[in-house]
Amino acid sequence: MKKILIAILVSIALLPTMTYAQSTESKIINNNNVELTITEYNKLIEMGFTDSQIMFFNQEAINRNLKSNAELVHKNVSYLKTIYTYENNLSTYSNYWSTPVVIDEVELTKEQYELETSNDNNISTNASEHEHYYKYRTLTTSLYKEGTYSEPVYRIVNIVQWADGDGPDTRSFDISGITFDTNEITIKSVSQYAFQTYTQTHKITGSSEYKTVNYSTGSDHYTKTNEGYAISMNLVDDTTWYKMHEMNSYLEYTVIKSGSNTINTLQFKGTYVHSNQTVDLLDVVGFAMDPSATGLAMFLLGNPISSSYDS
């Protein structure tokens, strides 16, 4: 299986700022019922966020980004495709397709991703025996600079977006995390914040609701080490009556310089791993992290828990 790694190695430099003209100050209401002016929307676009990301942001995420006066230093996007099959169980119809098995995970180009996730190219998940099917998601890791030249502050953001209508079949505790590999910085106290959003549609009535799950700074879902932060998010699993779609997640934390050190280069790795089996929260928090590793190996979960994750 190909391991997916997001690594950001940047010398401290600012990107050019883009300007968006708007003649009238109209307003936008996103999927989370948050109201933004066009000026606020354009500022988020300037910061490197996409329209689809802004549309799922909750009020807290928007407030954090609008008040930060942050400048985007670097952004990296991975377009991921996971290839599945099933271990068939013929004893009952209900569990005929019960156990998904990951065959491979590959990284696509943006053009390939958009083609394969378009409505005309969706792959049916009602596959025949031994046939493969696919799940798609993007992982965006961004670095923002705040503060002053002598006292710089950096925010790191991890955003995961599953292709619309194509969320994962298994829903337990997925892990999103960002590590860094330098002693020039340290994590700012209580700077972590995470949330997930999804739309649930009732299978009988067809009514839909947009839902948000927030993880405050005191949540026991976080794992903090000297090398970074991770969040173990419990994906909603009420699939008996509801279909879940438009699934997204967001993680951020802030780093500052360590003591009198000068920050010369910053190296970050953003990772997201999906649980393909049911796991307990206590088994996926408090683990160590290895910033030199790639993919799942970045999270030192140990056996047998590590075998419950895709990559």
Side-chain angles (χ1 to χ4, degrees), residues 107-121:
E107 186 169 358
L108 306 176
T109 65
K110 179 181 179 181
E111 292 73 22
Q112 289 173 319
Y113 184 90
E114 291 175 347
L115 176 64
E116 294 193 22
T117 57
S118 66
N119 292 333
D120 294 336
N121 289 276

Side-chain angles (χ1 to χ4, degrees), residues 163-234:
D164 186 22
D166 202 23
D169 285 347
T170 305
R171 295 187 173 95
S172 188
F173 287 94
D174 286 8
I175 306 174
S176 176
I178 315 167
T179 60
F180 56 86
D181 190 9
T182 176
N183 59 7
E184 297 173 353
I185 59 176
T186 187
I187 298 174
K188 183 180 179 181
S189 178
V190 295
S191 62
Q192 74 278 15
Y193 178 67
F195 70 97
Q196 62 168 312
T197 65
Y198 59 93
T199 298
Q200 64 177 27
T201 300
H202 198 280
K203 293 180 179 180
I204 296 178
T205 66
S207 61
S208 294
E209 293 180 276
Y210 201 80
K211 298 285 190 176
T212 301
V213 180
N214 294 290
Y215 302 88
S216 66
T217 55
S219 171
D220 58 1
H221 289 242
Y222 290 106
T223 293
K224 178 187 177 184
T225 71
N226 291 332
E227 296 81 22
Y229 252 112
I231 179 75
S232 298
M233 292 188 174
N234 47 323

